Amino acid sequence: MPYSIMLDAGHGGSDPGATYQGRKEADDALRLTLAVGEILQNHGFDVEYTRTTDVYESPFQKAMEANEAGVDFFVSIHRNSYPVDNEVSGVESLVYDLSGIKYEMAQNINEQLENVGFVNLGVKARPNLIVLKRTKMPAVLVEVGFINSDIDNQLFDDNFYDIAGAIADGIMDTLKKPGMSTDMQYRVQVGAYRNRRYAEQLLNELIAQDYPAFLEEGNGFFRVQVGEYPILQEAVDMERRLKMAGYPTIIVS
Ligand SMILES: [Zn+2]
């Protein structure tokens, strides 16, 4: 089965993102996102987009779209901005927390972009960003240089296709690792009940705490499960979080 990925060009429509001397983040993000998608498609990926034109959609809508599509990965492409023009340059990637395959993917993308000539500003945890927090699958947001850095803009324009290739390579590098398989999906099970009401109570409690929880019905049981992870380590990380919050858990596949 091919990997599926949803690519998200940041901002769009009524939201231009950061701007600098008439240049709009939303435009750079869209052009680059489509180029990355074309490369991934040529490598057998099942590629979907949150937008392919200059339209606005809220980050929450984007996250829900990815969840509904049930893609394996979510990568959002942006350009960065700093309060003072030409003060900072480089690439930076953001993830929900510094663990699992999303963290590896973010590091690989940064390294590939560093090879093209960007300064590597590293990977940062941003647990409050909606597209990272509300997506059920591993998600990375890449800030491809600062839009108010002339150095970064020149790099962006002169090496556009290398940059698109670097992001695609960063994504693919991550998936070449042994033990990676999409045939298997791991979930963390927090409870199994005969009584639907008990299951729904636990489900609502987990959702209220922003866990990507859902109800699975079968063989007379209502199972409350969290996440859907292509590699075991992701499920192990989530299990640790749930255990620390006091929930009894098992990993199921
Ligand atoms: Zn942005």
Side-chain angles (χ1 to χ4, degrees):
M1 236 178 68
Y3 288 112
S4 62
I5 188 164
M6 185 166 281
L7 296 178
D8 170 42
H11 312 279
S14 57
D15 169 21
T19 56
Y20 175 65
Q21 294 178 352
R23 190 173 182 132
K24 287 193 281 181
E25 179 188 357
D27 295 342
D28 281 357
L30 180 58
R31 201 159 70 92
L32 185 56
T33 297
L34 294 174
V36 172
E38 203 180 317
I39 296 167
L40 289 175
Q41 221 150 16
N42 290 339
H43 281 84
F45 273 73
D46 189 349
V47 179
E48 297 193 40
Y49 301 93
T50 54
R51 69 180 180 104
T52 54
T53 56
D54 191 20
V55 290
Y56 178 75
E57 224 175 74
S58 74
F60 182 75
Q61 283 174 308
K62 289 172 166 184
M64 291 307 112
E65 239 173 79
N67 291 347
E68 272 157 36
V71 289
D72 300 321
F73 301 98
F74 181 90
V75 173
S76 185
I77 293 177
H78 288 247
R79 304 258 352 247
N80 223 334
S81 174
Y82 193 76
V84 184
D85 292 342
N86 290 303
E87 184 86 5
V88 184
S89 56
V91 292
E92 182 177 62
S93 287
L94 311 175
V95 287
Y96 179 78
D97 60 26
L98 303 181
S99 74
I101 194 164
K102 61 186 183 303
Y103 182 40
E104 275 176 46
M105 187 175 282
Q107 287 173 304
N108 288 336
I109 291 170
N110 280 6
E111 273 166 32
Q112 289 287 349
L113 286 169
E114 192 178 352
N115 292 339
V116 180
F118 284 106
V119 173
N120 184 350
L121 298 173
V123 180
K124 313 266 158 67
R126 286 290 152 78
N128 292 321
L129 276 184
I130 299 293
V131 291
L132 303 179
K133 182 178 178 175
R134 302 306 297 264
T135 39
K136 280 186 189 172
M137 66 292 305
V140 178
L141 189 153
V142 196
E143 300 271 15
V144 189
F146 286 75
I147 199 161
N148 60 344
S149 155
D150 292 331
I151 295 170
D152 280 354
N153 285 341
Q154 178 137 24
L155 253 170
F156 191 94
D157 295 336
D158 291 353
N159 304 278
F160 181 77
Y161 289 99
D162 289 341
I163 290 167
I167 295 171
D169 282 343
I171 292 166
M172 292 188 286
D173 286 352
T174 317
L175 306 179
K176 275 186 215 132
K177 296 248 165 82
M180 212 20 238
S181 155
T182 47
D183 297 342
M184 198 82 122
Q185 294 283 350
Y186 299 95
R187 299 163 174 186
V188 185
Q189 186 161 305
V190 189
Y193 302 88
R194 290 260 179 214
N195 185 321
R196 177 189 276 272
R197 201 181 315 149
Y198 293 141
E200 280 176 350
Q201 233 165 40
L202 177 60
L203 176 72
N204 292 333
E205 186 184 313
L206 290 168
I207 288 173
Q209 295 171 81
D210 283 325
Y211 287 105
F214 57 93
L215 200 61
E216 178 109 315
E217 215 181 310
N219 298 329
F221 279 98
F222 297 96
R223 298 178 183 81
V224 182
Q225 302 181 335
V226 174
E228 207 164 25
Y229 305 104
I231 58 158
L232 187 57
Q233 189 56 46
E234 284 274 313
V236 169
D237 291 340
M238 177 52 84
E239 188 183 35
R240 194 175 304 139
R241 258 180 75 195
L242 284 160
K243 278 221 169 88
M244 278 170 62
Y247 292 104
T249 58
I250 52 163
I251 291 178
V252 294
S253 61

